[in-house]
Every structure is written in structure tokens, then in C-alpha cells.
């Protein structure tokens, strides 16, 4: 027994030397002891009470998390809610928006403090949608967005950094080397920053990050005169938690 | 303790002429043979305030340990001035105002003992107030170019005019000395002359209205480098810039100043000169940061050719003092933020980096880009993470196509029933639900300008592909567009 304990200590020391201790050594508190909310300083609230409850307090800091779902499933709504919560607390946030689809007016109505949001716009404006014609244009677009995210994360000081690939085709995202995400994860490891990816399908999340998977849109709630809002069905997926946390949110128009 | 040095003009009567106007030439430059007193004053103290070319005051607190008593300091000042060929009036007093008054009125070295300021100035004639740069509201700024110095002189002239008017009035009241004015009851004086009267009375008592505002040396802070061989490209230029930024930064540190504007001048091999100006978001003097910002600027705006001469001049401001708080969240340093923004601007373009802002318009999708400052240094930051209570119902957000996507829309009875586009990923389909139209128009009154008006009917539609879109019909051209995606 003493021998195995020693081996474990050695293994943990080696992992610590390689700076992998945070990822591999920490016990899975959530899995072992049920859903205990993490301390407030360890998580970043999404601004939605029900989702925070499923997330055990919020998005884990120092980790990459993601929101994935199809069009009109509520990705931008959740993003704006998280940005509003972060900027409302006086924190700084950054949004890397390669296709330039962020709408400041809509975000302001969601409660985002725009003066605390660093908006990095890609040059997808002239395309209106994902570029197809010019060869290499899409790769250049993604490359610049990833470089921008890397710069922002390395600079530090931002509590929430969002990379919005929601309207980027999954094929284009899959062509990116997976080491890209590992590199970004290493940059924020141990910091207060949450890197949040938005995509049409699962992109990458760190071992302790979370995936918020949104069910396909049910075409919203309507009456004869008005679009009333979206019904967002979120499923929280963790790497080490066999139980998914599900919640249903209503977003009003 | 304060000392004041006053170099009277040889042509000038001591109390009768308008001093400020006489001491500055119309161009604001010094006359021939005039040696500034500030250089002399700076040999004794780093805290020097230059009121005019011929009038400076300096803080000599702590100088006693080095030079001795105030009288000895005065003698030392006189000796140093004589070495430079100057014979200024020198006064040392507990307050700056008393020192100024004594220097303006008395030749030689005058030393006022602590606590004796009011009694010492009481015997001086009222006319000395004409020369006093009262309150030092218009000091010559340390970095004012010669033209600005003229402005300071004109401000001094206004002070002198105001002083003359008050002195004339007080003389008509029968007052002759500062002691007479100082002895008047404050309330009736305030009733007759207002707060200005009270201010003049405080000056007549030798009281300071403002603390000494230290000013820096007037020599421009700049570095110039002539290269034997022209350099091209950013990498060799970075070494050259490092050689310029480091000594410049050391000079700024010695003066406790920081750069706010960088003026760069590049002489190209084609004999043309390119001038650049970098506005820094906050005063800074870290040579690495300055060099990085210059390089990033040059990366975004390349030079036309090789460079064989560089000049770097800085506009300065007092160095920034950061007071950290235990209660509010720490902000990134302005140097870090400026470097980050410069790097991002070089990567994405200057107009694509910043903080989004709303504009006062009903135009759909209108926004502005502002410089990102992180909400300002004084932005309130709640101490806890859960001070903003999470809500239950979020607002729906919209993704907006910055350039609306043209769409083909089939309509029945004015309502869209099918929407398709030619864009990949926006296939569209049959309309499952639609509400509208919401009619908006604006800017139609701006005929012939660069801003086009809009006139549209908006619809929110749910399509068979699962998406919810905002589409609109441009009523002016009868064309349909997809404006955004409800997401």
C-alpha cells in the first residue's frame, strides 16, 4: 500500500513538473460527491440561474468550455447572457467574431456593458456568409481569429474570452489541428479566464471544461402577431461526469 | 520653505510698468541676453515652478541639511547666479506667495523667518500686487512650445490688468500697503469685491492660494540617430529603436515624466521625410513598450523605403501613479492594453478592434466602434462574483449580417411563404411561421448625401431549415434581404 502511495506521489510530481497536474491530478469532486457548487472564484456565472445550477455555479475558470448547437438554438443568446453577467460584474470580456455577425444593439438589450467588451471583428462582413469562392480565404479567416484569441489570452486581464465559430461550417473547424485547442488551453490554465467557444458542433473543451449542447431549435414561440422568443434546451456534458445536466430555458424576444 | 528668484528688466520700473507684457516679446521668445532662471533654480531643487522667464519659485524644503540655514541658502543662490552673470532678487519665505512678493519688491537677498510672512509683506506697497502672478493660475507649461509661451504671457498680462484694476480701486479707498489690505475685515471686503477681494486679501497676507506646481525643463525630450547605412525592414529597425527608446526613457524617468505622444520622423533614402504621430492611451515610459508600439505601428503602416535618419520626440505628462485597491478588481495596465490593442490592430485592422458602441439612430444595425479602454480605470467593480444575481429569462440575441444577404422570397397575400438564397449554408425553405411586417424608414430627408435612407418592411420568419431569421423587403427597390439570424 505504501509502495502504491509512493508511486502515486511520484506520478503526481512528474505531472506537476509538466504542468499537467491541474488537468489530471485533481479528484473529480463532482463525480464523487454529487453536485456541489464550486466556490464563486473558481467559476464564472453565465447569468442564468438555472444553467448555473446545472453547471455547479458556472463555467470553470482557467478552462475552455463550449456552447454547441444548430442555428437558432440559442447560442448567441447564451453568449450574450454570459457577456452581460461578466461585464455587469465589472469584468473585462473579449469577443472574437470572425464573421462579424455580432449585433451591439441586441447585446446591449441583453445587458452587455459594451464599454467593457473588446470586440475583434473579422473581415467576413463582405461575404455575408461563409466564404466559398476564393481559395484560402476561409483558412485565413480562421487563422486570424485564432491568432487574435491567442493574443488576448496571453495578454491576460480578461475574465471571459469568446470565440464565435457558430456560423463556421463544421468541416472547416475540423480541419484545424487539434493542438490548436491544447495550446490555447495551456495559455489559460491556472488563470481566471474562461475561454468559451461557440460552434455548430463539438469543437474542443478541456478536461475540466464543460460542453453546453443545445437541442435543435423548435422554431421558437409565436402568436399571431409576435415572435415571443426561443425555447432553449441545454444539456451540460462533462468529461468525467456520466450524468448530464439538462435544463430548459425560455428566452424572450 | 520656498525661494523665489526675480530678474528685473533694466528698462523696467519696479512697480509701475505692466510687467508681464514687458517681459515677453510678442513672439513669446526670450529677448537677447536673457538667461532663464529655471536652469539656475534646478541646480538647487527639482521642484521648480516657472511663472515667467524672469520669475521662478522653488521648493527648498530639505535643502537645509545640505546647505545650512535659509540665509546660507540665499547666499548660495546669489553666488550661483553671479557665476552666470545674473543678479536676481532672491527671497526666501515660509510661503510661496510671501517669497514671490518679497522677491518682486526687494533687491538682494531677503530671508523671512518662519511665521513672519504676514508681517514681512505688510510693509510692501500695494503696487507689488500688479506684478504678482496671483495664484499662479497661468504658469508657463513645461512643454509649451514657444507659441504657447506667448499665450502664457498673455495670460500673465490679463493677471496684471486685473491686478492693476484692483490696486487702483484699493488706492482710491486710501490703502497704501499690503498690511492695510490684510487688516480689512473679510466680510465687508467680500461684499464689495466678491471672492476676488478675499483672494487678494489672502495674497496680501502672504498666504498661498495654490501649492507649488513643479514644472519640467523646457528642453524637448528627443533622440535623433543618423545611420551610416540605411535600414529596411522592421527587425533591424527594432534594434535602432531600442537604442533610441532606452536613453529617452531614462531621461523621462529622471524627470518623473512619461510620454503621451510620440512624434516620429523618418528620413528615407529617397530624401523624403515621413512623419508619424502615435497617441498613447496613457502616459508611459517603458522602453520596450514604446519600441513595440512603434514597431506595430510601422507594421500596420509600412514606410515607403529604407531609413537613414530617425528622430523621436515625445510630448510628456506627469508619470502615472497607480493606486491599487483591495476591494476593486485589478485592471490590466494601460501599457499592456495598448500593446495588445496595437498587436490586434496590426493583425485585423485598426477599424476592426475596439469597443462596440450604440449610435443615436433608428437605422437597423447601426453601431460605432470606440477605442477600448476597459470601462475606464474608475469603473466600479463589485468585489464578489455573485453580486449580479443571475436572471431566469435571457433576452434573445440577433446575429446580424453586416451586408444583408439577398434573398428570393415567394409571397402570398403579402406574406412570405418561402425564402431561399444563393449562399452556401443559407438554404432557406418554406416558411413555418412569420410575423410582420414592421415598417421602418429613415434618413430619407438626406437627399444626395453619402448616407442613404432606408425604407423597409421587416418580418421575423421561421424556416423549414430550423432557423429563425429576420428578413426585410426594401420598399424603395422592391428587393428582399436576410438581415440576421435569431440565435
Amino acid at each position: 500500500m505504501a509502495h502504491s502511495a509512493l508511486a502515486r506521489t511520484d506520478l503526481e510530481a512528474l505531472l506537476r513538473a509538466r504542468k499537467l497536474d491541474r488537468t489530471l491530478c485533481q479528484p473529480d469532486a463532482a463525480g464523487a460527491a454529487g453536485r456541489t457548487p464550486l466556490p464563486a472564484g473558481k467559476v464564472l456565472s453565465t447569468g442564468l440561474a438555472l444553467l448555473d445550477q446545472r453547471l455547479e455555479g458556472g463555467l470553470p475558470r482557467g478552462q475552455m468550455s463550449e456552447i454547441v448547437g444548430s442555428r437558432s438554438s440559442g447560442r448567441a443568446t447564451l453568449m450574450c447572457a454570459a457577456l452581460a453577467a461578466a461585464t455587469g460584474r465589472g469584468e473585462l470580456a473579449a469577443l472574437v467574431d470572425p464573421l462579424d455577425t455580432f449585433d451591439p444593439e441586441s447585446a446591449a438589450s441583453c445587458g452587455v456593458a459594451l464599454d467593457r467588451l473588446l470586440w475583434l471583428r473579422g473581415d467576413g462582413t463582405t461575404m455575408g456568409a461563409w466564404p466559398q469562392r476564393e481559395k484560402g480565404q476561409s483558412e485565413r479567416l480562421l487563422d486570424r481569429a485564432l491568432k487574435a484569441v491567442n493574443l488576448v489570452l496571453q495578454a491576460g486581464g480578461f475574465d471571459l474570452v469568446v470565440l464565435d465559430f457558430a456560423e463556421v461550417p463544421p468541416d472547416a473547424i475540423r480541419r484545424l489541428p487539434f493542438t490548436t485547442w491544447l495550446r490555447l488551453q495551456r495559455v489559460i490554465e491556472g488563470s481566471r479566464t474562461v475561454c468559451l467557444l461557440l460552434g455548430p458542433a463539438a469543437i474542443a473543451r478541456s478536461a475540466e471544461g464543460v460542453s453546453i449542447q443545445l437541442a435543435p431549435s423548435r422554431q421558437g414561440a409565436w402568436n399571431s402577431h409576435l415572435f415571443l422568443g426561443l425555447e432553449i434546451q441545454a444539456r451540460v456534458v462533462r468529461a468525467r461526469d456520466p450524468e448530464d445536466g439538462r435544463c430548459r430555458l425560455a428566452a424572450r424576444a | 520653505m520656498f525661494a523665489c528668484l526675480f530678474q528685473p528688466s533694466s528698462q523696467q520700473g519696479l512697480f509701475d510698468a505692466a510687467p508681464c507684457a514687458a517681459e515677453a516679446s510678442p513672439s513669446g521668445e526670450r529677448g537677447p541676453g536673457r538667461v532663464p532662471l529655471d536652469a539656475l533654480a534646478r541646480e538647487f531643487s527639482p521642484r521648480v515652478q516657472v511663472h515667467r522667464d524672469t520669475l521662478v519659485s522653488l521648493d527648498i524644503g530639505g535643502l537645509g541639511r545640505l546647505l545650512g540655514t535659509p540665509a546660507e541658502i540665499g547666499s548660495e543662490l546669489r553666488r550661483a547666479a553671479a557665476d552666470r552673470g545674473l543678479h536676481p532678487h532672491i527671497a526666501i519665505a515660509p510661503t510661496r506667495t510671501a517669497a514671490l512678493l518679497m522677491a518682486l519688491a526687494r533687491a538682494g537677498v531677503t530671508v523671512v523667518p518662519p511665521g513672519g510672512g504676514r508681517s514681512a509683506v505688510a510693509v510692501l506697497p500695494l503696487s507689488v500686487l500688479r506684478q504678482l502672478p496671483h495664484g499662479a493660475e497661468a504658469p508657463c507649461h513645461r512643454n509649451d512650445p514657444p507659441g504657447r509661451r506667448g499665450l502664457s504671457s498673455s495670460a500673465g498680462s490679463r493677471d496684471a490688468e486685473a491686478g492693476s484694476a484692483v490696486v487702483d480701486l484699493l488706492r482710491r479707498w486710501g490703502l497704501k500697503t499690503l498690511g492695510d489690505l490684510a487688516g480689512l475685515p473679510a466680510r465687508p471686503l467680500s461684499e464689495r469685491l466678491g471672492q476676488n477681494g478675499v483672494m487678494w486679501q489672502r495674497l496680501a497676507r502672504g498666504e498661498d492660494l495654490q501649492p507649488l506646481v513643479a514644472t519640467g525643463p523646457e528642453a524637448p525630450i528627443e533622440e535623433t540617430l543618423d545611420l551610416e547605412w540605411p535600414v529596411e525592414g522592421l527587425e533591424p529597425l527594432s534594434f535602432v529603436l531600442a537604442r533610441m527608446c532606452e536613453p529617452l526613457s531614462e531621461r523621462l524617468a529622471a524627470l518623473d515624466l512619461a510620454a503621451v505622444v510620440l512624434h516620429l520622423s523618418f528620413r528615407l533614402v529617397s530624401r523624403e521625410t515621413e512623419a508619424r504621430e502615435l497617441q498613447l492611451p496613457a502616459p508611459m515610459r517603458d522602453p520596450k513598450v514604446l519600441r513595440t508600439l512603434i514597431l506595430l505601428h510601422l507594421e500596420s503602416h509600412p514606410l515607403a523605403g529604407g531609413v537613414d535618419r530617425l528622430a523621436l520626440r515625445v510630448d510628456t505628462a506627469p508619470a502615472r501613479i497607480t493606486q491599487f485597491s483591495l476591494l476593486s478588481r485589478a485592471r490590466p495596465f494601460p501599457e499592456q492594453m495598448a500593446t495588445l490593442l496595437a498587436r490586434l490592430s496590426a493583425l485585423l485592422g485598426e477599424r476592426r478592434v475596439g469597443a462596440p458602441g450604440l449610435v443615436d439612430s433608428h437605422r437597423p444595425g447601426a453601431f460605432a466602434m470606440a477605442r477600448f479602454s476597459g470601462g475606464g480605470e474608475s469603473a466600479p467593480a463589485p468585489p464578489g462574483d455573485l453580486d449580479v444575481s443571475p436572471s431566469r429569462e435571457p433576452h434573445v440575441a440577433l446575429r446580424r449580417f453586416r451586408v444583408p444577404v439577398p434573398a428570393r422570397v415567394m409571397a402570398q397575400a403579402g406574406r412570405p411563404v418561402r425564402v431561399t438564397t444563393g449562399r452556401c449554408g443559407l438554404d432557406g425553405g418554406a416558411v413555418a411561421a412569420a410575423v410582420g411586417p414592421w415598417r421602418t424608414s429613415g434618413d430619407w430627408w438626406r437627399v444626395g448625401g453619402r448616407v442613404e435612407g432606408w425604407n423597409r418592411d421587416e418580418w421575423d420568419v421561421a424556416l423549414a431549415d430550423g432557423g429563425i431569421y429576420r428578413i426585410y423587403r426594401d420598399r424603395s427597390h422592391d428587393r428582399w434581404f436576410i438581415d440576421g439570424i435569431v440565435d
Side-chain angles (χ1 to χ4, degrees):
Chain A
M1 192 67 188
H3 187 72
S4 68
L6 184 64
R8 181 188 171 91
T9 312
D10 292 343
L11 184 60
E12 285 182 357
L14 284 171
L15 290 170
R16 204 168 291 118
R18 297 235 170 213
K19 295 185 178 175
L20 290 169
D21 53 321
R22 293 180 61 85
T23 310
L24 299 175
C25 291
Q26 290 184 356
D28 187 1
R35 300 192 178 282
T36 310
L38 293 169
K42 300 280 186 188
V43 292
L44 184 138
S45 167
T46 61
L48 304 169
L50 206 55
L51 188 58
D52 280 351
Q53 198 180 335
R54 295 289 181 272
L55 290 168
E56 299 162 18
L59 300 167
R61 291 182 185 269
Q63 303 293 336
M64 285 180 72
S65 298
E66 58 185 10
I67 298 175
V68 297
S70 58
R71 187 172 289 163
S72 298
S73 59
R75 300 164 301 184
T77 300
L78 293 191
M79 177 191 79
C80 283
L83 288 173
T87 56
R89 287 189 297 268
E91 298 171 346
L92 298 184
L95 169 63
V96 182
D97 184 18
L99 286 177
D100 196 13
T101 56
F102 177 72
D103 183 32
E105 193 180 349
S106 171
S109 68
C110 291
V112 179
L114 296 178
D115 58 340
R116 295 197 187 106
L117 176 65
L118 174 61
W119 184 21
L120 307 172
R121 303 164 57 201
D123 52 2
T125 49
T126 53
M127 290 167 266
W130 184 247
Q132 290 289 317
R133 292 178 184 171
E134 193 184 331
K135 196 176 177 182
Q137 196 175 20
S138 56
E139 285 80 3
R140 204 161 51 242
L141 205 64
L142 295 187
D143 185 49
R144 281 185 185 172
L146 289 169
K147 280 181 180 167
V149 167
N150 200 19
L151 284 172
V152 173
L153 292 178
Q154 283 186 338
F158 291 87
D159 286 76
L160 177 60
V161 178
V162 182
L163 175 59
D164 188 357
F165 278 176
E167 289 297 316
V168 176
D171 289 347
I173 298 173
R174 274 195 289 270
R175 279 199 292 273
L176 294 169
F178 194 74
T179 50
T180 306
W181 312 113
L182 290 175
R183 202 172 62 241
L184 292 179
Q185 168 58 32
R186 291 295 294 273
V187 173
I188 58 169
E189 211 165 52
S191 71
R192 288 178 52 86
T193 305
V194 172
C195 183
L196 184 62
L197 307 175
L198 265 67
I203 304 172
R205 61 167 159 73
S206 55
E208 290 191 36
V210 294
S211 283
I212 302 172
Q213 296 184 353
L214 305 179
S217 158
R218 289 188 174 181
Q219 299 190 330
W222 308 73
N223 68 14
S224 55
H225 300 294
L226 289 171
F227 167 59
L228 301 175
L230 288 175
E231 186 182 312
I232 302 170
Q233 296 182 41
R235 178 171 157 243
V236 178
V237 179
R238 293 171 187 276
R240 299 175 191 170
D241 191 355
E243 292 180 24
D244 298 339
R246 292 170 190 271
C247 69
R248 186 171 291 184
L249 302 161
R252 63 179 186 278
Chain B
M1 292 290 279
F2 295 90
C4 183
L5 309 178
F6 173 55
Q7 179 70 42
S9 167
S10 55
Q11 295 86 7
Q12 184 189 327
L14 199 55
F15 302 136
D16 300 328
C20 299
E23 283 162 9
S25 65
S27 64
E29 294 174 356
R30 296 184 189 100
R34 292 239 176 122
V35 181
L37 292 175
D38 57 343
L40 170 64
R42 283 179 206 289
E43 289 182 4
F44 287 81
S45 173
R47 300 194 68 233
V48 174
Q49 181 170 1
V50 182
H51 304 287
R52 300 193 291 263
D53 285 351
T54 55
L55 184 64
V56 299
S57 51
L58 59 152
D59 183 357
I60 57 168
L63 207 57
R65 282 178 293 178
L66 202 63
L67 298 179
T69 62
E72 288 167 333
I73 295 170
S75 302
E76 199 64 29
L77 278 166
R78 186 174 60 179
R79 189 190 57 75
D83 290 346
R84 291 167 173 258
L86 296 171
H87 301 284
H89 299 185
I90 299 170
I92 295 175
T95 64
R96 191 169 54 93
T97 303
L100 281 167
L101 289 167
M102 296 305 292
L104 289 168
R106 297 274 172 84
V109 178
T110 310
V111 178
V112 179
R118 181 171 173 173
S119 56
V121 301
V123 297
L124 300 180
L126 269 179
S127 52
V128 73
L129 290 178
R130 288 178 175 163
Q131 298 198 73
L132 190 67
H134 60 85
E137 287 92 346
C140 298
H141 196 271
R142 59 181 148 212
N143 295 311
D144 281 354
R148 286 284 303 275
R149 291 189 61 82
L151 291 177
S152 295
S153 297
S154 64
S157 301
R158 285 196 299 275
D159 291 346
E161 287 169 14
S164 295
V166 169
V167 168
D168 292 343
L169 180 66
L170 295 173
R171 275 184 169 172
R172 284 202 296 276
W173 288 1
L175 305 181
K176 291 179 180 173
T177 63
L178 295 183
D180 296 341
L181 175 57
L184 290 178
R187 192 170 172 178
L189 187 67
S190 174
E191 286 170 356
R192 285 162 178 77
L193 294 179
Q195 282 303 303
N196 276 342
V198 179
M199 186 192 76
W200 284 109
Q201 189 183 42
R202 287 184 61 194
L203 290 173
R205 290 172 177 169
E207 295 175 12
D208 285 339
L209 300 182
Q210 287 183 2
L212 184 142
V213 182
T215 51
E218 291 178 3
I221 298 177
E222 63 183 348
E223 288 288 327
T224 307
L225 198 61
D226 286 298
L227 303 170
E228 290 184 21
W229 299 95
V231 293
E232 282 190 60
L234 292 180
E235 195 175 341
L237 205 56
S238 72
F239 292 101
V240 177
L241 285 170
R243 275 190 60 192
M244 298 176 75
C245 288
E246 282 169 8
L248 195 134
S249 180
E250 283 172 9
R251 286 178 64 192
L252 288 172
L255 299 167
D256 195 22
L257 295 174
V260 284
V261 183
L262 302 179
H263 300 276
L264 294 149
S265 175
F266 300 95
R267 194 178 70 190
L268 307 181
V269 287
S270 58
R271 298 295 113 188
E272 291 175 356
T273 302
E274 278 198 36
R276 303 288 174 85
E277 186 180 296
L278 266 78
Q279 300 274 350
L280 303 178
M284 56 183 73
R285 63 175 177 232
D286 185 343
K288 287 181 183 172
V289 175
L290 295 177
R291 184 187 60 169
T292 305
L293 291 176
I294 295 170
L295 286 173
L296 288 168
H297 173 80
L298 293 175
E299 194 179 331
S300 307
H301 308 88
L303 295 167
V307 179
D308 62 4
R309 187 171 194 271
L310 289 89
L312 173 58
R313 180 170 61 82
V314 297
D315 288 352
T316 59
R320 188 167 42 86
I321 298 169
T322 306
Q323 175 66 55
F324 292 105
S325 168
L326 289 173
L327 303 177
S328 62
R329 198 178 302 280
R331 297 264 171 201
F333 286 110
E335 291 90 343
Q336 292 174 334
M337 192 57 77
T339 309
L340 172 66
L341 294 179
R343 284 186 198 282
L344 291 169
S345 298
L347 178 68
L348 301 171
E350 267 180 42
R351 296 172 58 190
R352 299 191 170 276
V353 177
L358 301 179
V359 294
D360 186 15
S361 168
H362 292 289
R363 177 184 287 275
F367 70 96
M369 287 292 278
R371 184 172 182 85
F372 180 73
S373 62
E377 288 190 2
S378 59
D385 268 356
L386 295 176
D387 285 354
V388 179
S389 54
S391 66
R392 290 188 172 275
E393 246 190 12
H395 277 273
V396 168
L398 182 74
R399 290 183 182 280
R400 195 178 286 275
F401 294 124
R402 213 59 68 200
V403 178
V405 179
R408 293 181 292 273
V409 176
M410 288 174 60
Q412 286 180 359
R415 297 178 68 84
V417 293
R418 185 173 184 80
V419 179
T420 54
T421 73
R423 295 293 170 89
C424 179
L426 284 172
D427 299 330
V431 174
V435 290
W438 315 111
R439 180 165 295 176
T440 64
S441 65
D443 282 340
W444 43 265
W445 53 87
R446 297 187 183 183
V447 181
R450 287 172 59 189
V451 180
E452 278 189 25
W454 80 93
N455 185 7
R456 52 160 66 177
D457 283 345
E458 285 185 356
W459 292 79
D460 290 332
V461 295
L463 300 186
D465 67 355
I468 301 170
Y469 301 87
R470 177 162 298 168
I471 64 172
Y472 70 90
R473 186 173 73 90
D474 184 348
R475 298 182 69 240
S476 305
H477 303 94
D478 195 20
R479 294 175 62 191
W480 287 86
F481 294 92
I482 297 183
D483 197 22
I485 304 169
V486 175
D487 192 14

